[in-house]
Amino acid sequence: MLHSGVGMTIVSPEGRFLEVNPALCEILGRGEAELLAATWQELTHPDDLAVDEGLVTDVIAGRRDSYRLSKRFLKPNGTIVWGDLSVSCVRRASGAVRYFVSQITDVSRDVELRAMLRGVLDSLLDPHLALRAARDDTGKITDFVYIDANPAAFAYLGRNRDEVVGRAMRDLFGDSEATLSLLRWGSAAIESRKPFTMDDAIIVSAVSATSRRFDLRATPFGDDSVSLTWRDVTERYEARMRLADSEQHYRLLANNVTDVVLQARDGILQWLSPSLESALGWNPDEWVGNRFEDFTHPDDVALAQQRRAEINTGATRITRLRLRHRDGTYHWVAIHAAPFTDAQGNRDGIIASFRLIDDQIKAEQLLEFSARHDRLTGLLNREEIYRRLEAMQAHEARSGSRIFIAFADVDNLKASNDTYGHQVGDEVLRVVGERMMQCLREGDLVARIGGDELLLVLNGVGTVDDAVRVMNGVLDAVNRDHTFGEITLRPRMSIGLTDILPGQDVESAVRRADRAMYRGKAAGGNRIELATGDINSD
């Protein structure tokens, strides 16, 4: 309990706190003595109290032994902190509850992020689903579970949120053609870690049981999830087929769709639909006679040129890149491009359409970032730095250079929290993380792995002295005074340093550095302590 980054407490059957750990005090913004004199009911938001009390009653009555829920806690200043609460009980021989053991994780930032993402997703006109893969014992993806959806998706599925979220796709719609197709395409996106796109795909709709055509985009995020967006384009496709014999009808269609349609010949834009103005602010005449690359983000020009070369050989391509708005800003678009064939069947340049996907890109980036980074400092989280460190070990085994890891703990952070409040403590952590990032070398890593615990990875260091020299620079940078409002903060940090060789267990090395850090803290703190006797000699 003492060293856990998760809030932990032992509670009497009546609700009084019997023991609390420092992490819980930090989460709830209260000192140990204040918590031990209170009950959990007093600290619970009134709107969440009845649900929690009902679950406790079930445990005391013997109908369950544990439960988990998200609930709101009240801080002394009246602000709310969202907690992920897990509760289990220890019973006497008679079956009566002796005490409860509770664990609380601060998920306030996650709740805020989900609310922001919800706003982005709800603004999308196309149906959107977030799905988590379900795998069998061999690791094969056999189904998807609905994590979330936007109103357009619920309307398309003809079901409300309670009927969809948390359910398996095959459980809801069976092994229909649509289910199996989405399973195949979503699996392809997750396994390849690349977006999967398909236009004009023929699927028998699981909702209407009729054959329809869809544009589909499947984008992986997190470790095992996929973002799925689709558009029923049956009418668009049928219209395109009906009007294929008439250039005049093609132009009529292009002039009235929201997607921007363009034609290019020998790399020069010949014609664009009027929708270009509503999408990117340009009059079509301002683009005609220029190259498409003239309006493409410099970092995406090579990709645009590559795609044009592929299409000129007869291929059809779907590409995502950035185009310049008339005001100078750049916007993400999804482009579908193919060879243009005239009424006589002769190939005559390229025909393409694109639409803005800024909201979709933003949602994907937010989901991906939140899965790999700490919400307070923006540093890597524990899982991500461990994953990168293991990959780094494999590379260093071939190069022969060394990796050093430093376990750092911010000194006197609890005292700062107790004196000034947790907002100041959070500022200390944020500033320390920022300064560490600024002075580390290219290829080095830094992560927040606990409440006030940070892990640094020094990549390709030659000797112990070199590693110590780098960490002295880090310590000097951290030690600079920082003004926060009317308070002058003096960040201090204790560091344990060790090395790790290819094949060595990462967790063991981290514990070795942790022990060294505590020796340094016991010796007065704000110093670098080598893992003496454990570190490998030069």
Side-chain angles (χ1 to χ4, degrees):
M1 287 181 63
L2 181 62
H3 299 293
S4 174
V6 175
M8 299 180 67
T9 177
I10 295 175
V11 182
S12 73
E14 297 75 29
R16 187 162 299 281
F17 293 100
L18 302 178
E19 291 187 40
V20 296
N21 72 342
L24 183 64
C25 295
E26 180 179 351
I27 291 172
L28 299 182
R30 301 172 187 269
E32 180 179 1
E34 183 180 358
L35 286 178
L36 293 178
T39 65
W40 65 262
Q41 292 93 334
E42 297 168 3
L43 306 185
T44 298
H45 192 283
D47 293 344
D48 296 340
L49 187 58
V51 173
D52 207 349
E53 287 181 331
L55 292 169
V56 169
T57 299
D58 285 347
V59 174
I60 291 176
R63 291 188 289 272
R64 60 167 68 224
D65 291 320
S66 63
Y67 65 89
R68 180 178 179 180
L69 80 158
S70 291
K71 59 176 282 188
R72 290 163 288 183
F73 294 91
L74 301 174
K75 287 189 171 184
N77 60 5
T79 60
I80 293 172
V81 57
W82 276 94
D84 182 5
L85 172 66
S86 296
V87 178
S88 58
C89 75
V90 174
R91 298 186 184 275
R92 301 182 185 276
S94 63
V97 173
R98 183 181 176 189
Y99 54 83
F100 293 93
V101 179
S102 301
Q103 297 187 71
I104 301 172
T105 302
D106 185 350
V107 293
S108 300
R109 179 55 180 160
D110 295 338
V111 171
E112 294 172 5
L113 179 62
R114 284 196 297 270
M116 179 168 58
L117 290 176
R118 165 64 51 198
V120 173
L121 296 179
D122 286 354
S123 69
L124 299 178
L125 299 179
D126 290 334
H128 177 277
L129 296 173
L131 304 169
R132 182 179 66 253
R135 298 178 182 268
D136 61 17
D137 294 339
T138 67
K140 180 182 178 181
I141 297 176
T142 58
D143 206 346
F144 282 104
V145 176
Y146 293 95
I147 301 174
D148 205 350
N150 69 345
F154 289 126
Y156 184 87
L157 297 175
R159 298 171 184 262
N160 60 39
R161 177 178 297 276
D162 292 338
E163 294 174 307
V164 173
V165 174
R167 298 283 299 279
M169 185 168 61
R170 298 174 86 165
D171 181 35
L172 279 176
F173 298 107
D175 289 334
S176 66
E177 178 184 332
T179 298
L180 297 178
S181 296
L182 295 180
L183 180 61
R184 183 170 63 254
W185 296 331
S187 299
I190 288 178
E191 302 297 357
S192 68
R193 303 304 302 168
K194 295 179 181 178
F196 182 93
T197 61
M198 182 169 290
D199 279 3
D200 294 337
I202 302 176
I203 306 175
V204 177
S205 171
V207 177
S208 64
T210 60
S211 181
R212 308 287 293 176
R213 287 185 176 267
F214 297 86
D215 286 353
L216 180 135
R217 306 290 183 268
T219 304
F221 70 90
D223 292 330
D224 219 20
S225 299
V226 64
S227 168
L228 181 68
T229 303
W230 72 93
R231 177 181 294 184
D232 188 326
V233 295
T234 306
E235 286 74 21
R236 184 190 74 185
Y237 179 85
E238 293 173 349
R240 188 167 72 240
M241 294 301 99
R242 288 194 303 269
L243 303 176
D245 294 332
S246 172
E247 181 180 351
Q248 179 182 358
H249 288 172
Y250 265 123
R251 187 176 297 273
L252 178 64
L253 175 65
N255 284 346
N256 290 276
V257 296
T258 55
D259 290 359
V260 179
V261 181
L262 63 88
Q263 182 188 10
R265 184 182 299 117
D266 297 325
I268 304 300
L269 294 164
Q270 304 295 317
W271 175 86
L272 297 99
S273 63
S275 50
L276 175 67
E277 186 164 7
S278 61
L280 294 174
W282 298 92
N283 185 294
D285 291 338
E286 295 177 290
W287 279 40
V288 171
N290 293 289
R291 293 157 49 88
F292 182 82
E293 290 87 341
D294 295 338
F295 304 92
T296 302
H297 191 285
D299 293 343
D300 298 336
V301 167
L303 175 61
Q305 292 172 336
Q306 177 185 339
R307 291 291 182 264
R308 186 175 77 231
E310 293 168 351
I311 295 167
N312 285 336
T313 66
T316 297
R317 290 290 182 264
I318 299 171
T319 307
R320 302 203 300 185
L321 48 74
R322 289 158 290 183
L323 293 179
R324 179 160 49 93
H325 193 280
R326 203 174 195 283
D327 63 9
T329 60
Y330 284 91
H331 296 267
W332 281 99
V333 299
I335 304 175
H336 180 278
F340 177 74
T341 303
D342 62 21
Q344 289 73 43
N346 300 315
R347 189 178 296 171
D348 187 22
I350 292 173
I351 187 75
S353 65
F354 66 82
R355 61 175 179 263
L356 300 180
I357 57 169
D358 287 327
D359 287 345
Q360 183 177 336
I361 292 292
K362 182 179 180 181
E364 293 169 4
Q365 291 172 342
L366 285 172
L367 286 169
E368 182 65 23
F369 186 88
S370 66
R372 301 182 184 276
H373 292 77
D374 171 64
R375 60 181 177 273
L376 173 63
T377 63
L379 303 177
L380 299 176
N381 59 27
R382 176 188 289 268
E383 292 77 15
E384 180 65 11
I385 197 170
Y386 273 44
R387 184 186 67 81
R388 296 192 188 185
L389 181 53
E390 289 171 355
M392 194 183 294
Q393 277 186 280
H395 172 75
E396 297 303 318
R398 296 189 296 270
S399 66
S401 56
R402 300 173 70 177
I403 300 174
F404 283 78
I405 61 174
F407 192 104
D409 187 278
V410 179
D411 293 336
N412 302 320
L413 185 62
K414 183 178 184 304
S416 178
N417 286 334
D418 292 343
T419 303
Y420 302 111
H422 289 273
Q423 184 180 10
V424 173
D426 288 349
E427 176 70 4
V428 172
L429 285 170
R430 188 194 64 76
V431 168
V432 167
E434 180 179 276
R435 290 177 175 179
M436 294 170 76
M437 284 293 297
Q438 289 173 349
C439 63
L440 289 182
R441 309 159 311 143
E442 182 178 356
D444 294 345
L445 305 174
V446 58
R448 183 186 179 198
I449 62 173
D452 56 357
E453 297 172 343
L454 305 164
L455 186 66
L456 298 91
V457 177
L458 305 180
N459 184 21
V461 177
T463 67
V464 175
D465 290 340
D466 292 336
V468 170
R469 188 161 40 253
V470 172
M471 293 311 303
N472 274 324
V474 173
L475 197 59
D476 289 341
V478 167
N479 285 168
R480 297 196 309 270
D481 287 356
H482 174 70
T483 301
F484 182 61
E486 298 179 356
I487 303 171
T488 298
L489 303 174
R490 296 178 172 83
R492 298 294 182 264
M493 188 166 62
S494 298
I495 301 172
L497 181 66
T498 189
D499 63 350
I500 179 171
L501 297 179
Q504 288 186 326
D505 179 57
V506 171
E507 191 61 43
S508 298
V510 171
R511 288 196 298 268
R512 193 163 63 240
D514 187 13
R515 291 193 298 269
M517 180 277 294
Y518 272 106
R519 290 198 298 271
K521 190 176 286 288
N526 202 43
R527 66 183 64 205
I528 300 166
E529 186 77 15
L530 294 177
T532 307
D534 296 318
I535 200 165
N536 293 279
S537 59
D538 293 347

